[in-house]
Amino acid sequence: MRADAARKMDGRIPRIDGYPFIGVVPHFFTAPFEFLENISLCHPGQVVRLNMGITELLYSAHPEHVQHVLSSNWKNFSKGPIVKPLKLLVGEGLVTSDVDIWLRSRRVMQPVFNANQMAALAEPMIATIAEAINSLERLAGQEIDLGQELMQITQSVMLRVMFGTDTSPEQRQAVWESLDTALRAIHIRMFLYFLPSGIPLPGSAALKKSVQRIDEIILDIVKKRRQSGERRNDLLSLLLAAKDDETSTGMDDRQLRDELVTAFIAGIESTAMTLSWLFYLLSKNPEPAGLVQAEIQAVLGNRQPRFEDLTSLTYTRMAFMEVMRLYPPAWFLARIADEQDQIDNYTIPAKTPFLLSPYVTHRLPAYWQHPHRFYPEHFTPEQVAQRHRFAYLPFGAGPRQCIGNHFALMETMFIIAMMTQRFRLRSVAGPFVEPKAMATLRPRDGIRMLLTRAS
């Protein structure tokens, strides 16, 4: 069904009906990006009502509406039952918790992610990346599944930065396999959040088993570290020491588990997928690729990067920001209006789910010179200054913006720099790699690349 076939409801909010009984639900499993982008192009600047069968969603990609929902009146737009499927995996982490729990957790965790703490984690991060990239030498001259290899790198980095040397190879493999299984099972539940919990869905048994395995491994690590009282240069030690300034209390083991799983998913899955898209796009765009390579050579030469080098890699950072525009890992954000609200001339009824899509907002022609093209110059200071602040939200926006955005930038930039120093990647994946809508944004069939040594 085309978005321009919508009819008006109450003379104000366009309604997309879809199919009898099931509404537009099939579009979210077959072509969600095209569906939502088409709606925004046919109804620019409007809030739209989506028929989900037994419930409805409101949807908008307009930056003014994004600002209202995520910033101006953010306390009225909670995550509510929309994040219920994700809570099965991450519990009450920062991404899924309601306002009261979130405020306390944010107060505890904010100091952990300041610049000084990030700088302290840079050294073990760089050392782990170097070891992981060394292991790629065996594949030089071969075609690789880029996402899988980058996942191995980001997994090694996150486990080292989070837990130091507290995990065995068997535990690391078990955690990653369990997370991957759980994320696949959760995807189908994300747009069926309104169904009663008792209704069986595909993958329920595998999801439950995966979460139990993750709990066993991570809670065991947390308990042992707490009992030992040992302080190390890793994220777990920082989180164990973190206190709420208002109450002087820290996090219990369960809250630590939830925050660690949240960080683990973001640091492995999201980072690896972002890097996959970046190296793919650089292989298809020789001019930006040459500028990235030249900058890394000029700033670093053949030495390893340091934390202070990140501010000098300006074009590389622009390329990273541009790939996060085209392929944001969190491709949709969902909220619920707790009380009746007003957005422009639209009345938003209480308890109404509201869907936002960074993927679509990042491609609105009114705000981007080349909406569908890889164009790092979108992020020159001049371009950024003239663009609506909420036209770009790769880490969310407003008070609930991802707390780990600086950590993610540091990890990604180090991997880009060190991979570029050692290797060149040429796409053998065909003219276009289609994105796949899961809990995060993945290449549908992976990305095949030829890995060669840099000359």
Side-chain angles (χ1 to χ4, degrees):
M1 181 206 69
R2 289 179 53 81
D4 53 6
R7 63 179 174 84
K8 298 282 187 178
M9 166 148 313
D10 299 329
R12 291 187 299 275
I13 302 180
R15 173 184 162 103
I16 313 297
D17 279 326
Y19 301 96
F21 307 112
I22 56 175
V24 302
V25 169
H27 294 290
F28 284 103
F29 293 103
T30 56
F33 311 118
E34 295 87 346
F35 176 62
L36 293 176
E37 193 170 8
N38 188 34
I39 292 173
S40 292
L41 291 175
C42 294
H43 299 277
Q46 291 183 281
V47 175
V48 176
R49 190 184 301 266
L50 303 180
N51 174 23
M52 302 292 287
I54 64 174
T55 189
E56 289 185 336
L57 296 176
L58 295 181
Y59 162 71
S60 177
H62 193 277
E64 292 287 344
H65 301 164
V66 171
Q67 180 173 4
H68 183 91
V69 172
L70 298 184
S71 183
S72 304
N73 202 24
W74 71 275
K75 286 188 177 180
N76 189 45
F77 287 88
S78 64
K79 299 205 171 182
I82 291 177
V83 295
K84 181 175 63 174
L86 193 55
K87 281 191 177 187
L88 296 172
L89 175 59
V90 302
E92 296 292 343
L94 281 175
V95 170
T96 54
S97 56
D98 291 327
V99 172
D100 290 343
I101 296 174
W102 174 83
L103 282 170
R104 179 184 178 277
S105 297
R106 182 87 177 198
R107 287 197 305 267
V108 174
M109 295 181 66
Q110 186 69 56
V112 172
F113 289 90
N114 66 30
N116 289 335
Q117 301 286 21
M118 292 301 96
L121 293 174
E123 185 176 341
M125 181 181 285
I126 292 166
T128 307
I129 293 170
E131 292 175 8
I133 289 179
N134 283 340
S135 70
L136 290 179
E137 280 288 344
R138 75 190 191 285
L139 299 175
Q142 300 180 36
E143 289 185 14
I144 62 170
D145 183 326
L146 181 61
Q148 290 301 313
E149 297 303 328
L150 289 170
M151 208 85 77
Q152 293 295 322
I153 293 175
T154 56
Q155 181 185 17
S156 298
V157 171
M158 286 305 297
L159 286 166
R160 171 63 184 85
V161 171
M162 288 171 65
F163 301 124
T165 57
D166 279 351
T167 56
S168 68
E170 293 76 19
Q171 286 177 316
R172 292 194 289 272
Q173 187 65 23
V175 168
W176 172 244
E177 288 178 354
S178 298
L179 278 174
D180 190 55
T181 299
L183 287 170
R184 292 177 185 276
I186 284 168
H187 165 63
I188 197 172
R189 291 159 170 76
M190 296 301 289
F191 293 103
L192 300 173
Y193 70 91
F194 48 83
L195 294 178
S197 300
I199 294 180
L201 291 171
S204 294
L207 173 59
K208 183 178 181 180
K209 183 178 179 181
S210 296
V211 172
Q212 288 175 341
R213 184 61 177 141
I214 291 166
D215 286 353
E216 290 171 3
I217 294 172
I218 292 184
L219 285 172
D220 181 61
I221 293 170
V222 169
K223 289 175 181 177
K224 287 180 178 177
R225 181 72 69 85
R226 194 189 291 277
Q227 290 169 0
S228 73
E230 184 180 0
R231 291 293 302 274
R232 301 185 190 175
N233 187 23
D234 59 29
L235 188 59
L236 177 55
S237 286
L238 293 175
L239 291 174
L240 282 166
K243 304 291 182 186
D244 182 347
D245 287 340
E246 293 187 9
T247 63
S248 298
T249 58
M251 290 184 280
D252 61 25
D253 287 358
R254 187 69 200 184
Q255 187 65 38
L256 275 168
R257 176 264 179 216
D258 292 348
E259 301 301 355
L260 288 166
V261 171
T262 300
F264 196 66
I265 294 170
I268 294 179
E269 167 85 6
S270 299
T271 301
M273 292 304 103
T274 297
L275 287 164
S276 296
W277 289 116
L278 175 66
F279 287 121
Y280 169 73
L281 290 172
L282 288 175
S283 76
K284 295 292 187 181
N285 295 272
E287 184 176 348
L291 292 172
V292 168
Q293 293 164 15
E295 180 178 76
I296 290 169
Q297 177 60 35
V299 173
L300 302 179
N302 294 320
R303 67 171 174 82
Q304 288 186 351
R306 298 186 290 262
F307 182 76
E308 53 268 27
D309 292 321
L310 296 180
T311 56
S312 300
L313 296 171
T314 54
Y315 190 84
T316 305
R317 182 186 177 119
M318 287 163 56
F320 164 76
M321 295 172 74
E322 175 69 348
V323 78
M324 290 284 280
R325 179 185 74 84
L326 289 170
Y327 299 105
W331 64 274
F332 76 96
L333 303 170
R335 298 290 189 269
I336 283 190
D338 294 327
E339 304 293 339
Q340 180 175 298
D341 205 344
Q342 195 78 18
I343 296 181
D344 289 341
N345 63 331
Y346 302 111
T347 297
I348 309 302
K351 309 306 177 187
T352 302
F354 205 109
L355 181 69
L356 307 169
S357 176
Y359 182 95
V360 178
T361 301
H362 292 178
R363 293 165 183 255
L364 293 176
Y367 301 94
W368 303 95
Q369 185 177 355
H370 302 287
H372 295 90
R373 175 182 157 195
F374 179 65
Y375 186 69
E377 286 74 13
H378 279 138
F379 292 95
T380 62
E382 297 77 17
Q383 289 279 328
V384 172
Q386 69 183 16
R387 191 164 48 241
H388 194 292
R389 178 183 169 194
F390 288 82
Y392 183 64
L393 52 154
F395 296 102
R400 294 200 70 155
Q401 178 174 302
C402 176
I403 196 174
N405 57 342
H406 298 300
F407 181 94
L409 174 64
M410 178 174 71
E411 180 188 11
T412 306
M413 291 286 285
F414 284 150
I415 294 174
I416 295 169
M418 297 168 76
M419 281 286 290
T420 301
Q421 287 176 313
R422 291 283 293 277
F423 299 109
R424 295 290 177 265
L425 288 156
R426 180 168 62 83
S427 174
V428 292
F432 178 72
V433 174
E434 183 180 356
K436 180 179 181 180
M438 294 186 62
T440 56
L441 194 64
R442 291 185 176 185
R444 179 170 296 278
D445 298 310
I447 298 178
R448 301 293 301 178
M449 304 283 276
L450 177 64
L451 181 76
T452 59
R453 296 181 181 89
S455 57

